[in-house]
Amino acid sequence: MAYRAEPADALRIEPLDDFTLVFHRRSGLTHLVTAPAPEILAALQEGPLTRDALLARLAERYDLADGSTAALDARLGELVAVGLIEAA
Amino acid sequence: MRHVFSVRIGTVGFRVGSDWRAPIAELGRLYADYPAPEDGIPDFNVRLFAARPWRRWLRPAVTLGGDFVLPEAAPLPLAQGLLAAEMAMNLQMALGQRRYLLLHASAVERDGRAVLMTGLSGAGKSTLAALLAARGWRLMGDEFALVDPTNGLVHAFPRLVSLKNEAIAVVRSALPNACFGPLLAGTPKGDIRHLVPDAEAIARMAEPARPALILFPRFGFEPAERGVGPSEVFVRLTQASTNYVALGERGFEAMTRLVRDVPARAIDYPHADAAVAQVEALWDSL
């Protein structure tokens, strides 16, 4: 199963401080997110990835505080729930 | 309707119709120095009417109506007709304003730059705005600050300043020569008395200002102050906005610019004089 993010032109992403604002044009909703959500969105906007491929990509780019699949599954679940990514 | 009053507050025109003469006469007296709506065309209509025809005579009760209404709004006694009119005008702004990002905040201006003060009911935003006006600041409004999404400027909305309970005496002693409305005792919000904004606030009400400081005051605590980061400001201001969601991406842009560009502080204060000193010291340190 691969995950796909809303395309770049569907979102307005504005980093503020520890939090990042994500305005979702389609729903009109504003989301206030912290790491690793902006990093996940950025990685998936380059193209769909499976969970394991995404984890490998993130580990390659960032020093992950919690590199477990369980932690990533939880974050992916949250982003799917609010409609910023979808499981395809 | 039988009795009608029109007025422009800031850039917004209102037409208030009423079944009764008294609230209209009171509005006419308190808003005597305000202009009429531009080109005579109001942005919003407000109606004060008797729920049933005989209630106009028998224990009169004012029901609020207008372009935008809240179905659960309870009628007020006629003695509080002025409050009913003010509430209905606020409601039109809260529900119907689409040109500006509307913040539930008071605002004062000095040298073209504005301080926005927002907080829960009772935080003291009206009192602080009135006391700062007494010290030479221009009063831009005690209820709504209107942020223009096209350029980030704040527009004034200097309606009558609504003072509640202890704030009435505090402001009367700071502004002994100001014009006040009648004391409205025992309203749903306690005792209320309206202060008429001074001549400068009215003369310059079409003049916007650049927001320079956002304050979150809290009354009844030992003096304290802390910086508030952009994401917390964003959350607090979206909660204090009645039309953030309705404005869509324009609202998002205006709010993001505001929280990024303008420093914000939370201030606790034990009494109003302390707060005025805190605000002016903060302003001088900008």
Side-chain angles (χ1 to χ4, degrees):
Chain A
M1 184 172 69
Y3 290 93
R4 173 195 319 276
E6 285 283 277
D9 62 2
L11 303 176
R12 286 278 303 265
I13 298 178
E14 304 283 349
L16 284 184
D17 37 40
D18 289 344
F19 289 86
T20 295
L21 292 170
V22 181
F23 182 78
H24 188 206
R25 289 198 166 105
R26 190 153 28 171
S27 64
L29 294 179
T30 306
H31 304 277
L32 198 55
V33 299
T34 54
E39 293 77 11
I40 291 173
L41 285 171
L44 293 179
Q45 280 180 338
E46 294 163 17
L49 292 170
T50 63
R51 190 264 315 266
D52 292 343
L54 174 62
L55 187 58
R57 179 80 56 88
L58 292 172
E60 184 184 298
R61 291 182 184 173
Y62 307 100
D63 186 13
L64 297 182
D66 181 353
S68 68
T69 53
L72 182 57
D73 282 342
R75 301 292 86 75
L76 287 170
E78 291 159 6
L79 291 171
V80 169
V82 297
L84 293 178
I85 65 174
E86 61 176 13
Chain B
M1 300 192 82
R2 311 178 123 211
H3 307 281
V4 173
F5 170 72
S6 293
V7 67
R8 173 150 47 99
I9 303 174
T11 58
V12 186
F14 293 92
R15 180 182 183 278
V16 184
S18 170
D19 278 349
W20 302 273
R21 193 189 64 81
I24 295 299
E26 203 66 69
L27 287 170
R29 181 176 81 81
L30 297 171
Y31 282 110
D33 296 331
Y34 284 65
E38 206 150 346
D39 304 325
I41 302 166
D43 296 276
F44 297 114
N45 292 287
V46 166
R47 293 186 304 129
L48 307 176
F49 61 97
R52 292 185 293 278
W54 58 87
R55 289 206 73 166
R56 193 145 63 87
W57 307 111
L58 198 68
R59 202 162 62 82
V62 183
T63 300
L64 308 186
D67 300 325
F68 299 89
V69 294
L70 285 179
E72 69 272 27
L76 289 168
L78 181 56
Q80 295 170 15
L82 175 62
L83 176 64
E86 287 283 313
M87 284 171 63
M89 289 159 78
N90 288 343
L91 192 64
Q92 305 313 304
M93 289 290 287
L95 300 182
Q97 181 56 248
R98 290 290 182 272
R99 196 177 350 158
Y100 305 107
L101 176 66
L102 195 138
L103 301 176
H104 190 217
S106 66
V108 294
E109 177 261 1
R110 184 173 268 178
D111 304 324
R113 301 190 306 152
V115 182
L116 309 182
M117 295 170 280
T118 184
L120 301 173
S121 185
K125 59 187 191 317
S126 296
T127 314
L128 283 180
L131 294 179
L132 288 163
R135 292 182 50 85
W137 294 71
R138 171 173 57 120
L139 176 77
M140 295 185 76
D142 82 314
E143 181 78 7
F144 294 127
L146 284 52
V147 181
D148 188 334
T150 63
N151 56 20
L153 295 179
V154 173
H155 286 261
F157 187 70
R159 57 154 216 173
L160 302 177
V161 177
S162 171
L163 300 168
K164 296 175 200 88
N165 303 315
E166 304 83 42
I168 298 170
V170 172
V171 173
R172 282 209 82 186
S173 73
L175 289 165
N177 298 320
C179 178
F180 289 85
L183 176 67
L184 306 171
T187 77
K189 292 179 176 177
D191 292 350
I192 289 186
R193 193 153 187 192
H194 292 96
L195 162 70
V196 179
D198 60 29
E200 191 195 12
I202 299 169
R204 296 176 57 202
M205 69 184 189
E207 212 178 289
R210 173 76 49 201
L213 179 62
I214 297 168
L215 291 179
F216 300 100
R218 225 167 40 135
F219 167 69
F221 295 87
E222 284 306 299
E225 186 203 313
R226 69 174 174 91
V228 184
S231 56
E232 184 181 343
V233 177
F234 188 93
V235 171
R236 287 185 176 222
L237 290 186
T238 47
Q239 286 169 346
S241 172
T242 56
N243 67 354
Y244 170 74
V245 173
L247 288 190
E249 195 166 350
R250 283 195 307 142
F252 176 79
E253 281 170 8
M255 194 69 94
T256 305
R257 167 151 60 169
L258 190 65
V259 306
R260 276 210 178 121
D261 293 355
V262 184
R265 299 273 188 286
I267 57 170
D268 290 354
Y269 63 97
H271 53 82
D273 289 340
V276 168
Q278 278 172 280
V279 173
E280 293 198 323
L282 262 175
W283 182 258
D284 291 338
S285 72
L286 283 182

